[in-house]
Amino acid sequence: FSFRKLWAFTGPGFLMSIAYLDPGNIESDLQSGAIAGFKLLWVLLLATVIGLLLQRLAARLGVVTGLHLAEVCHRQYRKVPRIILWLMVELAIIGSDMQEVIGSAIAINLLSMGKIPLWGGVLITIADTFVFLFLDKYGLRKLEAFFGFLITIMAVTFGYEYITVRPDQKQLLKGLFVPYCQGCGTPQLEQAVGIVGAVIMPHNMYLHSALVKSRQVNRANKREVREANKYFFIESCIALFVSFIINIFVVTVFAEAFYKKTNEDVHEVCANASSPHTALFPSNNETLQVDIYKGGAVLGCYFGPAALYIWAIGILAAGQSSTMTGTYSGQFVMEGFLNLRWSRFARVLLTRSIAITPTLFVAIFQDVEHLTGMNDFLNVLMSLQLPFALIPVLTFTSLPTVMNDFANGLFWKIGGGLVILLVCSINMYFVVAYVMALNHLGLYIGAAILSVVYLSFISYLTWLCLIALGASFLACG
């Protein structure tokens, strides 16, 4: 083992780990703490471990083949499935971009004490395009260093909240290592499902398989390939451990300070603190419901203005970093699936325009409640797209014709298949629960029709995956 070699391979894993720290994840964390206390920390740990194993498969595909996941999909799938896959992944990238825009707009609004309206914050995020293009000119290593800086900002800001609130360490350890949820009901169960849906992002598989190509590896030399796989896996472990600690900070802060709190409790504290956000919390006995915006307001009421501003800086760092990973994902996906090379400027401009337009309309004509409510819809969208990354990555890493001597063994075939089945089942539950909550007959009918088409395509991908896993009798010639 060599630390010098590990340093040479360090970078792609930290860029990949940004997806575990985007505004959608942060919102899922704080809601988990406020709704279930410390009881769902073990779910967050399990989701992160599953995410690590899936990222390992994506990284191995890139290292061994010299092609990223989208390029392999272009080579292995037929034209129609390939185009459908591309459209699904593009939807996931746009959804992620919208979450970044929402998070950044809310952070800017909080930092300006409401002087910059939400629609103003949405417009300011257009500047991300130019920031990204400016940094991209100076090379990938400098961009990786900038990502490291943003992750450090998140660790410091959310760590400050953790130290300020001082969560109960015994409850933290119990929640982390004892799989229990005593007294949990439907809200807690839905929150547990939401954690898994928020942590594992579909476009991240495509991104990670492409980022590892930035390091020179002699693929004719099996020892070098094996060594690269080892160091990329170690780096991914470190990167996801850091992101996991930051997520723990957010969950435990809200679990300690706001679990079982009512609106009236918070209203009273905010009124005594002369907070401008007092009106957000009606004076009733309903359980406190928090999101990214209300979370900052509540922290400001209980722990002073510094807690609010530091929270907003952390959210802004999460938003700014996730937009760049989304842009990279989009670039690789478009080049791989369509063999179409756009300039990064054109690519960023297109996806950012698509993401900003609906978000801007909601910000102008609705309030912050509707803007943060979009995150729930976007998490459902991500859940729907998840099989379109997980099934292909297991399929191709199990094919000897693609991976040669590095194809998945029996353990990874069975384990990977079970993990993907579990993750997809959990996310489908999340989607069904979301649709049922809409309580509208027309939406039910529309969802039923889309479900038939959706499940038909999933069945097709699963059929090809089972053949790759060894069920050759399904090949039908």
Side-chain angles (χ1 to χ4, degrees):
F1 177 81
S2 164
F3 281 105
R4 181 175 290 180
K5 283 187 178 179
L6 178 61
W7 177 250
F9 284 101
T10 295
F14 281 91
L15 266 71
M16 168 273 295
S17 73
I18 289 292
Y20 292 73
L21 294 168
D22 70 352
N25 263 301
I26 301 301
E27 181 153 315
S28 174
D29 290 340
L30 65 91
Q31 288 177 344
S32 166
I35 292 171
F38 296 91
K39 297 175 185 176
L40 297 180
L41 285 173
W42 64 274
V43 178
L44 178 61
L45 175 61
L46 182 64
T48 306
V49 171
I50 290 173
L52 173 65
L53 297 178
L54 294 171
Q55 296 296 160
R56 174 187 180 271
L57 293 179
R60 282 172 67 85
L61 181 69
V63 171
V64 173
T65 64
L67 302 170
H68 56 72
L69 182 54
E71 290 173 327
V72 181
C73 286
H74 181 270
R75 196 173 70 173
Q76 296 287 332
Y77 286 133
R78 296 185 180 186
K79 186 175 181 180
V80 173
R82 192 168 69 226
I83 292 172
I84 296 172
L85 265 179
W86 170 66
L87 291 172
M88 293 299 102
V89 179
E90 287 289 356
L91 268 178
I93 292 167
I94 290 166
S96 174
D97 216 20
M98 286 178 71
Q99 285 187 319
E100 176 274 320
V101 171
I102 291 167
S104 296
I106 289 171
I108 291 166
N109 182 266
L110 285 171
L111 285 170
S112 66
M113 287 304 289
K115 290 177 182 176
I116 297 177
L118 290 168
W119 60 265
V122 171
L123 290 175
I124 289 172
T125 58
I126 294 173
D128 292 344
T129 306
F130 304 103
V131 171
F132 173 79
L133 293 170
F134 174 76
L135 289 168
D136 193 52
K137 287 198 307 182
Y138 291 93
L140 186 61
R141 285 298 273 182
K142 289 185 174 62
L143 191 63
E144 289 169 353
F146 182 66
F147 275 104
F149 172 68
L150 291 174
I151 292 172
T152 303
I153 289 176
M154 284 184 267
V156 171
T157 51
F158 297 136
Y160 169 85
E161 309 289 359
Y162 179 85
I163 292 168
T164 302
V165 175
R166 294 196 297 275
D168 186 328
Q169 300 301 300
K170 287 183 180 177
Q171 289 295 317
L172 191 160
L173 292 172
K174 182 182 177 183
L176 206 53
F177 298 111
V178 180
Y180 80 110
C181 197
Q182 187 178 358
C184 288
T186 303
Q188 287 79 17
L189 179 60
E190 289 180 358
Q191 198 56 52
V193 172
I195 289 171
V196 179
V199 165
I200 302 170
M201 307 291 259
H203 62 281
N204 219 27
M205 302 293 155
Y206 291 88
L207 176 68
H208 200 190
S209 65
L211 289 172
V212 295
K213 289 171 59 181
S214 63
R215 303 304 192 265
Q216 293 296 322
V217 177
N218 179 10
R219 290 177 177 83
N221 187 327
K222 290 182 183 177
R223 186 187 64 80
E224 277 197 38
V225 173
R226 193 172 288 110
E227 186 177 68
N229 282 329
K230 177 179 76 173
Y231 283 112
F232 277 129
F233 181 63
I234 293 170
E235 187 230 3
S236 296
C237 289
I238 296 168
L240 288 188
F241 177 74
V242 172
S243 71
F244 175 68
I245 293 298
I246 295 172
N247 283 318
I248 287 286
F249 286 160
V250 179
V251 175
T252 52
V253 162
F254 283 83
E256 180 67 34
F258 309 117
Y259 177 50
K260 289 188 175 179
K261 285 283 192 301
T262 64
N263 284 327
E264 190 170 3
D265 296 333
V266 179
H267 181 90
E268 188 177 332
V269 173
C270 288
N272 291 335
S274 301
S275 169
H277 300 106
T278 306
L280 283 173
F281 310 100
S283 187
N284 59 39
N285 285 321
E286 290 182 15
T287 305
L288 175 68
Q289 298 288 329
V290 286
D291 48 45
I292 291 176
Y293 186 79
K294 282 185 176 178
V298 171
L299 287 170
C301 292
Y302 275 78
F303 304 104
L308 185 150
Y309 290 126
I310 290 170
W311 169 261
I313 291 169
I315 296 296
L316 189 61
Q320 296 307 294
S321 54
S322 59
T323 185
M324 299 182 195
T325 54
T327 301
Y328 260 126
S329 301
Q331 186 76 14
F332 296 134
V333 163
M334 181 174 280
E335 288 177 2
F337 276 111
L338 304 182
N339 201 19
L340 182 64
R341 296 188 180 274
W342 280 19
S343 69
R344 285 216 170 92
F345 181 84
R347 169 77 213 173
V348 175
L349 206 59
L350 175 66
T351 55
R352 181 46 55 90
S353 300
I354 295 171
I356 277 180
T357 304
T359 314
L360 185 60
F361 274 105
V362 174
I364 292 171
F365 298 110
Q366 301 287 349
D367 54 14
V368 71
E369 294 280 344
H370 290 85
L371 195 62
T372 53
M374 284 180 72
N375 265 330
D376 292 334
F377 169 75
L378 293 170
N379 279 334
V380 170
L381 182 67
M382 298 289 184
S383 301
L384 281 169
Q385 312 312 320
L386 204 50
F388 303 125
L390 302 189
I391 295 174
V393 83
L394 180 63
T395 301
F396 301 137
T397 53
S398 300
L399 279 174
T401 52
V402 174
M403 299 289 286
N404 300 318
D405 294 340
F406 293 93
N408 291 331
L410 184 62
F411 171 80
W412 276 98
K413 287 179 180 179
I414 295 173
L418 291 175
V419 163
I420 289 172
L421 180 63
L422 172 67
V423 170
C424 291
S425 300
I426 287 172
N427 280 286
M428 286 311 297
Y429 174 87
F430 183 42
V431 171
V432 170
Y434 180 83
V435 172
M436 294 300 289
L438 295 174
N439 200 23
H440 191 284
L441 181 62
L443 293 173
Y444 292 161
I445 295 170
I449 294 169
L450 287 173
S451 296
V452 172
V453 178
Y454 174 81
L455 291 173
S456 299
F457 188 56
I458 295 292
S459 300
Y460 171 77
L461 294 179
T462 304
W463 170 58
L464 295 178
C465 184
L466 289 172
I467 295 170
L469 292 175
S472 54
F473 64 91
L474 294 172
C476 302

